[in-house]
């Protein structure tokens, strides 16, 4: 962007605080953001159509003269306007209208309307069309390009948004932004200039194949994605180079606490755990900060590796902060670490957003006083938290945190000349090309082996019509002393509806399984209560835990060996795999029953098929990518580790190789361009955290 467009959107005339707030909800805070708020779809308003030629279901622009206007009651009050153009007649139907509108739409007035053609008994109609009164002097031209329809938010009208975007586009035309991509590349890839690309996606010329546009395959879109991916890649590489030059506290490689810990474990580490812990300890023994990603499938045993890393710090007399994405997970880590570290006499401090005032004060004092291990949630990076001798930050289940949160925590821990080492753990196996862009600032260690004795989770898919049978199976499992999860349907639109549905399921199951202890957790159960229930489940006091997908991540109850997932067809592969990872954690054989609503789509059928066939997270992930690449972008957000305006790491994966090649050239030959690219696309965040 030209730098002048990196100014607040409120500098556009007509944008007051209320409108600005709406825009902010769409991620639009600067004028340039409007350009990157891309259309959802397009409408063709380039031609005025004869009313007589319209067909059912099409969207069209028409012009005509009002014949009659009447307010009538047909079950409810409505205004009917009859419009004719000499070739035919159509009715405009309004359920909401003002007295002013009613007066303006009188017989003889000429209108231009845009709407979708519906058929009614008396002929054709538009319901609530967009319209404009035509006056002889303004009798305007039609649009000379396709009309963009933008994602919007309640209270912000499409027309308003379109108008503002139009202003931004006008500025763009007036001051062409400089070309930052190498000439050779734009030529080889047939990329238009940035200005032309943006104009094209907002205002495609008449006759453009909008289907190709919606698939984001047009060179204009590819250019935008490419440039954005490149900017992010560069910013992460920069970050990594900068970090490499910072100072960190070198930690102990093989101290006594670590040795005692490993000796005290009831199991021995797997080869993969030993190797990854070795890689981490190597990094930690250096005096520049580690930035390492620990990848391992659900149940592969990442936590014990994290504990080992923390002990490298403790052995050297320094502090470690461990951050989990949810209260539930943080508390689980607390229990696990306490259990392990009590045995070697190491204090564990705890900070959550839910501590009472006095507890919180005590926790803050313990942290400031140098407690060797600090566990918590986001609460850890509030201002009031003062670490003492913090040398290592561990973040669990990274995909729940954004890159910026991660960086913010690192900054926060920076004490004087030293920056803490950082270990990020994730169960989301990310294919290599994606990892290179999403995690270009991190080195990677992979736990590619599960603890011995784990049996694959036997997985079946059954139609919901066989629910009664499944309930019997649950009863039998409980009778055998096993514990069971019952996962309720995901309702993305509303966690209230989701909670209600879960309550209903729970009450039915309580009735059907009256001899067993059934409990329910969902997003709206108060945290204290939820923790009590989870603890009771862990202690074996609950037979059947009915839950929403809140239990998706990290929950570890080895005795649970049966999971039922309802409406599995609504969930993405990665999510189902995560959920299923809650069972199969002990040495008993486990099973997972995926219930689905009959009438599966082809895509859903394939997804369930993948899970039945394989238990391997990497295989699931690559299949997931393949299927989503085929069009079903379910849950893409999960891979959106970095917030992108245009690009999508899954959809645009094919660009990544070229991005890397270009990045190398730019870094060595054109450092000034690197800076500009990062500023154009990554902006403030990079300046704040990446020190570019
Ligand atoms: P995840 O990688 O999903 O975070 P966890 O760290 O929660 O996995 O480990 C899953 C379970 O496996 C835990 O109960 C843990 O105690 C156990 N575990 C970890 N490592 C081993 C091992 N080497 N041998 C046996 N059990 C192990
Ligand atoms: Mg875990």
């Amino acid at each position: 962007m030209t730098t002048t467009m990196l100014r607040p959107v409120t500098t556009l005339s007509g944008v007051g605080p209320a409108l600005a707030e709406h825009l902010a909800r769409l991620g639009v805070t600067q004028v340039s953001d409007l350009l990157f708020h891309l259309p959802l779809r397009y409408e063709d308003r380039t031609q005025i159509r004869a009313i007589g030629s319209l067909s059912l279901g099409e969207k069209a622009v028409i012009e005509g003269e009002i014949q009659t206007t009447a307010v009538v009651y047909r079950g409810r009050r409505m205004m009917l306007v009859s419009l004719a153009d000499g070739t035919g007649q159509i009715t405009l139907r309004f359920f909401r209208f003002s007295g002013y509108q009613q007066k303006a739409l009188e017989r003889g007035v000429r209108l231009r309307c845009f709407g979708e053609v519906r058929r009614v008994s008396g002929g054709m109609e538009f319901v609530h069309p967009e319209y404009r009164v035509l006056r002889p002097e303004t009798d305007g031209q039609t649009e000379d390009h396709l009309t963009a329809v933008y994602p919007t938010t309640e209270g912000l009208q499409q027309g308003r948004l379109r108008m503002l975007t139009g202003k931004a586009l006008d500025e763009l035309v007036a001051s062409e932004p400089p070309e930052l991509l190498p000439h050779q590349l734009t030529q080889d890839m047939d990329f238009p200039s940035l200005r032309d690309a943006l104009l094209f996606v907002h205002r495609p010329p008449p006759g453009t194949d909008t289907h190709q546009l919606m698939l984001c395959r047009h060179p204009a879109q590819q250019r935008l994605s490419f440039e954005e991916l490149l900017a992010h890649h560069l910013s992460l590489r920069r970050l990594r180079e900068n970090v490499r030059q910072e100072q960190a506290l070198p930690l102990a490689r093989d101290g006594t606490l670590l040795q005692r810990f490993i000796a005290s474990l009831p199991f021995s580490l797997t080869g993969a755990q030993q190797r990854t812990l070795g890689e981490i300890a190597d990094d930690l023994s250096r005096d520049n900060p580690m930035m390492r990603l620990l990848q391992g499938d659900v149940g592969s045993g990442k936590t014990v590796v994290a504990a080992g890393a923390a002990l490298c710090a403790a052995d050297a007399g320094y502090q470690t902060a461990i951050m989990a994405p949810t209260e539930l997970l943080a508390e689980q880590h607390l229990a696990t670490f306490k259990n392990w570290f009590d045995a070697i006499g190491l204090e564990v401090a705890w900070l959550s957003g839910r501590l009472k005032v006095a507890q919180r004060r005590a926790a803050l004092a313990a942290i400031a006083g140098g407690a060797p291990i600090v566990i918590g949630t986001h609460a850890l990076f509030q201002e009031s938290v003062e670490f003492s001798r913090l040398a290592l930050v561990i973040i669990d289940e990274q995909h729940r945190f954004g890159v910026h949160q991660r960086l913010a925590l690192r900054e926060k821990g920076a004490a004087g000349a030293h920056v803490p080492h950082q270990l990020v753990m994730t169960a989301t196996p990310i294919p290599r090309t994606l990892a290179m862009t999403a995690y270009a600032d991190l080195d990677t260690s992979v736990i590619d082996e599960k603890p011995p004795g784990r049996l694959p989770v036997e997985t079946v898919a059954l139609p919901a019509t066989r629910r009664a049978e499944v309930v019997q199976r649950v009863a039998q499992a409980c009778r055998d002393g096993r514990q069971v999860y019952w996962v309720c349907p995901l309702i993305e639109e509303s966690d209230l509806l989701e909670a209600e549905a879960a309550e209903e399921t729970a009450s039915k199951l309580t009735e059907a399984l009256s001899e067993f202890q059934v409990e329910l957790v969902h997003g709206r159960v108060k945290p204290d209560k939820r923790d009590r229930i989870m603890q009771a489940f862990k202690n074996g006091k609950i037979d059947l835990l009915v839950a929403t997908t809140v239990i998706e991540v990290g929950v570890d109850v080895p005795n649970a060996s049966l999971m039922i997932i309802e409406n599995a067809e609504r969930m993405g592969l990665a999510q189902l795999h995560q959920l299923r990872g809650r069972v199969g954690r002990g040495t008993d054989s486990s099973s997972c029953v995926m219930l689905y609503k009959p009438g599966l789509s082809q895509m859903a059928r394939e997804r369930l098929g993948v899970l039945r066939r394989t238990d391997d997270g990497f295989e699931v992930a690559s299949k997931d990518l393949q299927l989503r690449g085929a069009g079903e972008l379910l849950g893409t957000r999960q891979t959106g580790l970095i917030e992108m305006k245009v690009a999508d790491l899954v959809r645009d994966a094919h660009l990544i190789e070229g991005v890397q090649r270009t990045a190398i050239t730019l870094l060595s030959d054109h450092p000034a361009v690197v800076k500009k690219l990062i500023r154009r696309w990554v902006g403030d965040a990079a300046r704040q955290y990446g020190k570019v």
Side-chain angles (χ1 to χ4, degrees):
M1 246 351 66
T2 53
T3 34
T4 54
M5 294 188 76
L6 302 173
R7 62 177 207 274
V9 71
T10 44
T11 56
L12 288 176
S13 65
V15 183
L19 183 52
E21 212 170 281
H22 281 122
L23 288 167
R25 247 180 269 153
L26 299 175
V28 174
T29 55
Q30 297 183 332
V31 175
S32 61
D33 293 334
L34 284 162
L35 299 175
F36 297 113
H37 186 65
L38 298 187
L40 270 179
R41 56 192 173 80
Y42 301 90
E43 287 168 351
D44 189 350
R45 306 183 181 190
T46 58
Q47 291 173 47
I48 294 172
R49 302 281 311 280
I51 296 176
S53 74
L54 296 179
S55 50
L56 185 66
E58 75 174 313
K59 291 186 175 163
V61 184
I62 56 169
E63 262 181 36
E65 194 176 299
I66 296 179
Q67 310 295 303
T68 60
T69 292
V71 173
V72 299
Y73 290 87
R74 294 201 185 135
R76 59 195 279 207
R77 187 165 175 268
M78 61 184 79
M79 175 169 74
L80 299 177
V81 177
S82 168
L83 195 75
D85 69 352
T87 70
Q89 177 276 335
I90 191 165
T91 303
L92 317 180
R93 188 188 298 262
F94 297 87
F95 295 108
R96 295 177 306 274
F97 54 95
S98 62
Y100 170 81
Q101 265 176 311
Q102 189 185 341
K103 231 180 266 147
L105 297 178
E106 59 180 9
R107 183 183 166 82
V109 167
R110 291 182 51 76
L111 291 185
R112 177 178 300 165
C113 300
F114 176 82
E116 181 175 340
V117 182
R118 306 207 326 182
R119 186 174 304 284
V120 283
S121 55
M124 292 181 300
E125 69 169 20
F126 280 169
V127 177
H128 277 277
E130 288 178 41
Y131 71 88
R132 183 153 63 89
V133 172
L134 295 175
R135 310 199 191 286
E137 69 280 7
T138 61
D139 221 1
Q141 296 165 345
T142 50
E143 303 283 345
D144 55 6
H145 52 79
L146 301 183
T147 303
V149 179
Y150 297 99
T152 184
T153 169
E154 203 170 314
L156 177 57
Q157 280 154 6
Q158 198 54 240
R160 202 69 177 289
L161 193 51
R162 207 174 281 143
M163 188 268 294
L164 291 172
T165 307
K167 286 188 182 180
L169 287 168
D170 290 344
E171 287 190 27
L172 179 73
V173 171
S175 62
E176 164 133 31
E179 180 60 78
L180 299 180
L181 296 181
H183 180 67
Q184 193 62 46
L185 176 82
T186 54
Q187 210 167 27
D188 291 350
M189 305 279 284
D190 202 15
F191 283 158
S193 73
L194 176 65
R195 185 188 75 163
D196 290 352
L198 285 168
L199 281 172
F200 187 91
V201 296
H202 287 282
R203 297 176 167 172
T208 303
D209 176 1
T210 53
H211 185 67
Q212 191 200 16
L213 272 187
M214 314 265 291
L215 293 176
C216 296
R217 285 292 172 141
H218 191 279
Q221 290 157 315
Q222 295 282 289
R223 185 227 146 83
L224 297 175
S225 294
F226 189 97
E227 195 177 315
E228 181 170 36
L229 287 169
L230 178 64
H232 278 282
H233 185 76
L234 288 168
S235 121
L236 288 175
R237 282 183 80 130
R238 274 259 160 138
L239 179 62
R240 177 185 174 131
E241 275 164 29
N242 288 336
V243 167
R244 290 264 153 75
Q245 280 156 30
E246 286 174 316
Q247 291 294 306
L249 297 160
L251 306 182
R253 279 227 45 166
D254 200 11
T256 47
L257 285 170
L258 180 59
Q259 285 174 12
R260 273 165 56 202
F261 169 64
I262 292 176
S264 75
L265 286 171
F267 47 76
S268 45
L269 297 183
T270 62
Q273 284 170 326
Q274 284 173 22
R275 175 176 45 76
T276 48
L277 183 54
E279 288 164 2
I280 291 165
D282 264 351
D283 277 7
L284 293 178
S285 67
R286 303 211 162 96
D287 62 3
N288 32 35
M290 170 176 81
M291 301 259 298
R292 188 168 279 277
L293 177 71
L294 178 62
Q295 252 182 286
D297 203 354
V298 279
S300 62
K302 294 183 287 297
T303 320
V304 71
V305 175
L311 292 176
C312 293
D315 268 319
Y318 296 114
Q319 191 171 52
T320 298
I322 301 165
M323 183 163 77
T326 64
E327 295 277 345
L328 193 66
L329 257 188
E331 285 181 24
Q332 186 175 292
H333 280 327
L334 176 67
T336 308
F337 279 80
K338 267 206 156 142
N339 179 27
W340 283 337
F341 290 170
D342 276 356
I344 53 172
L346 204 62
E347 180 192 353
V348 179
W350 161 245
L351 190 73
S352 100
R354 300 189 342 240
L355 292 183
K356 306 237 163 60
V357 177
Q359 291 172 316
R360 183 179 163 79
R361 205 172 295 135
L364 289 177
I367 296 169
I373 310 288
V374 183
I375 297 180
T377 56
H378 296 76
L380 286 181
F381 62 120
Q382 286 160 356
E383 251 161 57
S384 53
V385 182
E386 247 182 73
F387 290 101
S388 160
R389 301 170 67 79
L390 179 68
L392 170 63
V393 171
I394 300 178
I395 302 179
D396 196 10
E397 306 294 354
Q398 144 83 1
H399 62 289
R400 298 290 168 111
F401 290 112
V403 114
H404 295 140
Q405 278 170 304
R406 174 154 67 71
L407 296 173
L409 187 64
R410 202 176 64 89
E411 294 262 300
K412 174 162 183 53
H418 294 115
V419 168
H421 298 280
Q422 193 171 82
L423 178 67
V424 172
M425 302 195 284
T426 179
T428 313
I430 298 169
R432 225 176 78 85
T433 47
L434 294 195
M436 289 209 253
T437 291
Y439 294 127
D441 61 329
L442 300 175
D443 298 307
T444 307
S445 291
V446 182
I447 304 185
D448 52 6
E449 175 188 3
K450 286 202 179 166
R454 295 285 166 79
L455 298 166
V457 179
E458 179 224 352
T459 305
V460 294
L462 294 177
T465 45
R466 292 173 63 182
R467 190 187 167 96
E469 235 173 274
V470 174
V471 174
Q472 283 320 305
R473 187 165 168 178
V474 171
Q476 188 56 49
C478 294
R479 239 170 264 135
D480 295 344
R482 296 162 64 190
Q483 288 176 284
V484 182
Y485 292 103
W486 187 292
V487 183
C488 298
L490 171 73
I491 302 176
E492 284 197 333
E493 304 78 40
S494 154
D495 71 330
L496 178 62
L497 288 181
E498 187 169 273
E500 284 173 1
E503 270 161 23
E504 203 181 314
T505 305
S507 72
K508 279 191 195 144
L509 288 169
T510 308
E511 207 172 297
L513 301 164
S514 53
E515 61 208 281
F516 301 110
Q517 196 59 38
V518 179
E519 283 287 354
L520 167 70
V521 291
H522 56 63
R524 294 212 163 200
V525 171
K526 288 248 166 55
D528 292 346
K529 186 169 172 203
R530 195 162 75 199
D531 299 340
R532 278 203 304 278
I533 295 173
M534 289 309 300
Q535 208 46 51
F537 188 57
K538 210 167 172 159
N539 297 339
K541 301 211 174 75
I542 293 170
D543 301 299
L544 173 63
L545 185 67
V546 181
T548 55
T549 52
V550 293
I551 58 151
E552 183 184 340
V553 174
V555 178
D556 184 35
V557 182
N559 191 46
S561 59
L562 174 61
M563 171 174 282
I564 317 296
I565 304 176
E566 275 195 275
N567 282 119
E569 79 280 359
R570 286 199 207 159
M571 295 181 197
L573 262 179
Q575 188 172 31
L576 287 166
H577 180 68
Q578 284 282 333
L579 276 172
R580 180 175 58 177
R582 301 306 116 221
V583 291
R585 302 193 143 237
T587 40
D588 280 353
S589 75
S590 302
S591 14
C592 174
V593 177
M594 302 181 292
L595 284 175
Y596 61 85
K597 205 164 141 229
L600 280 183
S601 70
Q602 177 61 26
M603 206 59 94
R605 188 183 307 276
E606 280 198 46
R607 276 206 302 268
L608 300 186
V610 170
L611 288 163
R612 279 194 354 237
R613 274 197 310 279
T614 181
D615 209 12
D616 175 336
F618 276 89
E619 208 174 319
V620 170
S622 64
K623 194 71 193 170
D624 194 16
L625 196 68
Q626 215 177 314
L627 289 180
R628 287 195 226 180
E632 185 156 311
L633 289 166
L634 217 155
T636 349
R637 284 270 134 226
Q638 278 210 359
T639 53
L641 305 158
I642 312 170
E643 277 194 21
M644 307 249 203
K645 305 180 210 290
V646 182
D648 179 310
L649 282 176
V650 174
R651 188 191 64 212
D652 299 321
H654 61 282
L655 295 175
I656 288 170
E657 258 193 66
V659 164
Q660 284 177 323
R661 267 201 312 273
T662 311
I664 291 168
T665 319
L666 289 181
L667 282 168
S668 68
D669 304 347
H670 306 283
V673 172
V674 171
K675 247 186 206 163
K676 284 186 188 153
L677 269 170
I678 294 174
R679 181 157 155 71
R680 178 182 279 177
W681 288 91
V682 190
D684 293 340
R687 255 176 289 137
Q688 198 172 341
Y689 300 124
K691 301 181 186 145
V692 284

